Amino acid sequence: MNPLDQNSQANALLDYIVREVIGRPGISLSADSPLVSSGLIDSFALVDLLAKLEDVTGMRIPAGKVQPKDMDTVNLMLLTATRIGKPKKSS
Amino acid sequence: MITAAAYLISLLLVFAAAFQDRCRSRQVAMLAASYVFYATGGIGFLAVLVASSCLNFALGEYLRRKPDLKRLWIGILFNVLLLSFFKYLPSFGSAAVSTSWTADLLNRVAVPVGISFWTLLALSYLFDVYREEEINPSLLEFCLYMAFWPTVIMGPICRLSTMLPQFQQVRGVAIEDVLAGARRIGIGLLMKVVLSQLLASGLSGIDGVAAGFDREAQDWGGFDVWFLAVGFGFQLFFDFAAFSHIVIGAARIFGFRLDENFNSPYLSSTPSEFWTRWHMSLSFWIRDYVFIPMAALRRGTLWRYFMLLFSMILFGLWHGAKATFILWGAYSGALLVLHRVSQQLQRRWGLNFSSRLAATLSWAVSFLAVSLGWVFFRANTLDQALRMVQTVLAPVAYSRFVLPQSYYVLVSALVIGYFAIESISKALASRSVLVSSPNTATDFNAVSPFLWNARWWWLSPMIGALLLFHHFVVSTTNVDLTPFVYRLF
């Protein structure tokens, strides 16, 4: 899978959060909207988002190295992926 | 006499620390105060705490040089073995061994006070070093973090990332901190000495929650079990939240801000929300260091449900090596899984339960389900817990009443009073925020912030009346104050 550019990654994540995680298509979110600290997403959804983040960025992200505060906004998620992610081995 | 002198020395050292100009001398005085305070439980306990602190600091340095999983596991194993030796081995061991001298030896193993709490502090430090967080304490700072006098006995389980900057600041005692801290301590004392005690011992001193659970004849009726479950849930809340208030208040007096441990948990409208409001420092610890890393290991909903169950069983086991705690954890985990499944079904079928009636129903079901779980937590044996749950499920049991009428009146009064005060406070607080907008300046909105801001003027007489009631009703029965429930863990 070809990783998307930063803007497309952010849009893909936002779209997924609005449709699949929060389940309210009308809600308006930006890449800097707080998600965990505002209570919009909980720990269960955070695990879903980690998997989605791996798909979108094409990185393997060790979950043991991630804290909820690292996933508070879409921009922070992408930063975390860049900081601790490793490129996935192609199968 | 020695204990009283130690408490006094500890207090003097805390005051001495507060007025130190230099950061290092402040930390030294604070650590000395913490160690003297902790040693009142036993010098041997202090030796275990100091050894654990030094070893964990060394493990952290070792992990920092190369933050890999193998090194992290060494640290995890050390802490789990230490905790298991003191906390779990005596229970499991004495049940398993056949020779009387071995059982006797195991029974002599005393549990260092607060070991369940400070072991989690050490583990969170190691996890954070593994995550390459920017925390680099000195040995003195790390020992202070582990032994910090307000939190060493029963938490809250604070993170080093929030405590370290506070340890490194030099500040005097501010009057607003003293007032805020004193108010928290006052609220804590009221919750513990009056509310929790009333529920524990009842109006006559012998008809409270304790007597209800410890009855010899286990012939409760359905309503008896529900009222015992709700009564114990509130007793535990008033007891543990009281301790948290006192600890947070005591630390605040000296300028330290600790993490909150409770946030009106019984107002939660789902079981998931409840666990973000009840014993928050432990709940978030389990979430951050157990659930998320483990749940993300595999994809698939079933695995995540399993990890929810596993995390909550661990939550129960942390309280002690008893089948009832494990069952309580499993029950709480099952509630979380059921909530997730219902969420998934609602989404799949396009159902929307956002009306006020649906929210009230959701709150009522969650409150009753969580309350029923306290039966497992409090029951003296597994057999008793199962018998009580069977009673709840048997319709014929609802025609039988064995608890005294005064117990029903007491629980009803305290529960209704609690919800009334919570609701009024929340309504006033939100109105107080709303009136800052010029469009909402109605008469009521002008009155409510006044009531909210001046709440201590009208709340104080009510609290005074409650204290008088406590004095005349409970104190005259010569009942000893029930110790804090969480000191056992």
Side-chain angles (χ1 to χ4, degrees):
Chain A
M1 180 187 117
N2 289 327
L4 306 166
D5 66 67
Q6 181 102 4
N7 267 345
S8 312
Q9 288 173 351
N11 287 335
L13 282 170
L14 279 170
D15 185 50
Y16 177 77
I17 292 165
V18 170
R19 277 191 302 107
E20 304 292 330
V21 180
I22 303 173
R24 279 183 273 167
I27 197 168
S28 160
L29 287 178
S30 78
D32 286 315
S33 302
L35 301 168
V36 182
S37 57
S38 64
L40 266 177
I41 62 170
D42 59 15
S43 51
F44 205 79
L46 217 54
V47 181
D48 277 332
L49 262 175
L50 259 177
K52 185 68 183 174
L53 185 62
E54 286 192 333
D55 291 343
V56 166
T57 57
M59 298 279 211
R60 169 87 188 93
I61 300 163
K65 297 237 174 195
V66 180
Q67 294 235 45
K69 65 179 172 131
D70 300 329
M71 303 281 288
D72 200 27
T73 68
V74 166
N75 278 338
L76 274 174
M77 288 177 207
L78 294 172
L79 262 178
T80 304
T82 313
R83 185 170 57 87
I84 58 171
K86 295 183 178 94
K88 278 183 181 171
K89 287 172 190 163
S90 51
S91 50
Chain B
M1 189 68 189
I2 294 172
T3 308
Y7 279 130
L8 186 65
I9 293 168
S10 177
L11 194 63
L12 289 174
L13 282 166
V14 169
F15 276 102
F19 294 102
Q20 293 296 320
D21 292 338
R22 289 177 51 231
C23 178
R24 196 171 169 79
S25 48
R26 186 171 187 259
Q27 289 174 353
V28 169
M30 199 65 84
L31 181 64
S34 302
Y35 279 165
V36 172
F37 173 70
Y38 193 76
T40 55
I43 290 288
F45 292 169
L46 178 63
V48 178
L49 174 62
V50 174
S52 171
S53 303
C54 293
L55 267 163
N56 273 298
F57 181 75
L59 283 165
E61 292 301 301
Y62 174 63
L63 187 60
R64 196 187 310 279
R65 270 180 234 139
K66 191 181 171 198
D68 63 14
L69 262 180
K70 203 172 114 190
R71 292 183 179 211
L72 176 65
W73 270 110
I74 294 172
I76 294 174
L77 272 178
F78 164 70
N79 282 289
V80 170
L81 286 176
L82 185 75
L83 183 64
S84 304
F85 175 78
F86 285 105
K87 187 161 176 169
Y88 303 116
L89 189 68
S91 316
F92 282 130
S94 53
V97 295
S98 51
T99 53
S100 62
W101 69 269
T102 324
D104 187 45
L105 194 70
L106 286 170
N107 282 332
R108 282 170 192 238
V109 176
V111 186
V113 184
I115 188 170
S116 311
F117 290 90
W118 52 254
T119 300
L120 296 191
L121 295 183
L123 279 170
S124 77
Y125 169 65
L126 295 178
F127 282 120
D128 289 347
V129 172
Y130 170 71
R131 287 170 172 173
E132 298 171 65
E133 294 269 309
E134 288 177 6
I135 41 168
N136 198 358
S138 64
L139 176 61
L140 174 66
E141 287 163 344
F142 183 71
C143 288
L144 179 55
Y145 166 63
M146 290 280 284
F148 190 46
W149 61 270
T151 59
V152 69
I153 309 261
M154 282 167 38
I157 304 159
C158 301
R159 308 286 171 91
L160 187 57
S161 52
T162 58
M163 296 309 294
L164 193 55
Q166 302 191 63
F167 292 152
Q168 292 171 341
Q169 269 180 6
V170 177
R171 61 167 106 66
V173 176
I175 188 69
E176 58 268 28
D177 281 339
V178 173
L179 290 175
R183 200 172 68 207
R184 294 294 295 262
I185 292 173
I187 294 171
L189 287 174
L190 178 80
M191 288 172 89
K192 172 62 190 166
V193 178
V194 181
L195 303 176
S196 172
Q197 185 62 36
L198 270 174
L199 281 166
S201 53
L203 291 173
S204 67
I206 51 164
D207 59 358
V209 171
F213 271 95
D214 297 341
R215 283 173 56 83
E216 269 187 38
Q218 302 195 346
D219 54 350
W220 302 279
F223 287 109
D224 293 329
V225 175
W226 277 114
F227 269 74
L228 279 175
V230 171
F232 176 69
F234 271 85
Q235 183 206 338
L236 187 65
F237 169 63
F238 289 137
D239 185 282
F240 195 22
F243 186 84
S244 300
H245 272 298
I246 292 168
V247 162
I248 291 169
R252 179 72 188 268
I253 285 176
F254 297 97
F256 293 97
R257 307 284 180 110
L258 303 183
D259 296 334
E260 292 293 338
N261 229 5
F262 290 87
N263 178 18
S264 310
Y266 288 128
L267 295 187
S268 308
S269 54
T270 65
S272 306
E273 190 186 349
F274 178 82
W275 287 108
T276 61
R277 291 163 164 249
W278 176 278
H279 200 176
M280 291 149 70
S281 62
L282 177 60
S283 188
F284 293 158
W285 195 100
I286 298 263
R287 177 196 70 183
D288 295 354
Y289 300 118
V290 179
F291 175 71
I292 291 176
M294 299 289 283
L297 282 179
R298 284 189 194 180
R299 296 199 180 191
T301 315
L302 275 180
W303 171 252
R304 278 174 216 165
Y305 289 158
F306 171 74
M307 282 319 303
L308 264 185
L309 265 177
F310 174 80
S311 302
M312 292 311 290
I313 288 172
L314 205 65
F315 203 118
L317 193 60
W318 176 87
H319 291 81
K322 279 174 69 180
T324 44
F325 286 140
I326 296 171
L327 202 58
W328 170 70
Y331 172 84
S332 305
L335 283 186
L336 292 177
V337 171
L338 276 175
H339 172 230
R340 293 291 158 195
V341 171
S342 74
Q343 266 187 332
Q344 295 287 334
L345 291 177
Q346 280 174 40
R347 199 165 292 170
R348 188 174 299 167
W349 294 336
L351 300 173
N352 186 5
F353 295 120
S354 55
S355 68
R356 181 166 283 204
L357 177 67
T360 309
L361 270 175
S362 178
W363 165 80
V365 171
S366 303
F367 174 69
L368 291 176
V370 166
S371 294
L372 190 60
W374 296 127
V375 166
F376 297 113
F377 192 96
R378 173 59 179 81
N380 297 316
T381 61
L382 184 60
D383 183 55
Q384 182 189 358
L386 296 176
R387 194 183 294 239
M388 290 177 88
V389 173
Q390 274 173 1
T391 304
V392 163
L393 297 175
V396 288
Y398 284 85
S399 58
R400 196 168 60 236
F401 294 86
V402 297
L403 296 179
Q405 205 177 15
S406 61
Y407 178 77
Y408 280 93
V409 173
L410 176 66
V411 172
S412 306
L414 285 181
V415 170
I416 292 169
Y418 168 77
F419 283 123
I421 286 177
E422 280 280 15
S423 308
I424 292 168
S425 297
K426 291 231 180 292
L428 287 177
S430 61
R431 292 273 180 182
S432 178
V433 172
L434 276 175
V435 286
S436 56
S437 156
N439 299 329
T440 56
T442 62
D443 284 347
F444 179 73
N445 282 342
V447 171
S448 52
F450 168 75
L451 285 174
W452 174 248
N453 292 330
R455 61 194 180 280
W456 293 106
W457 290 104
W458 55 269
L459 266 178
S460 301
M462 288 166 70
I463 292 169
L466 200 58
L467 285 170
L468 279 174
F469 169 76
H470 175 263
H471 176 74
F472 286 113
V473 175
V474 178
S475 300
T476 50
T477 58
N478 292 324
V479 176
D480 289 336
L481 187 64
T482 311
F484 283 109
V485 177
Y486 262 71
R487 89 203 182 284
L488 300 168
F489 309 133

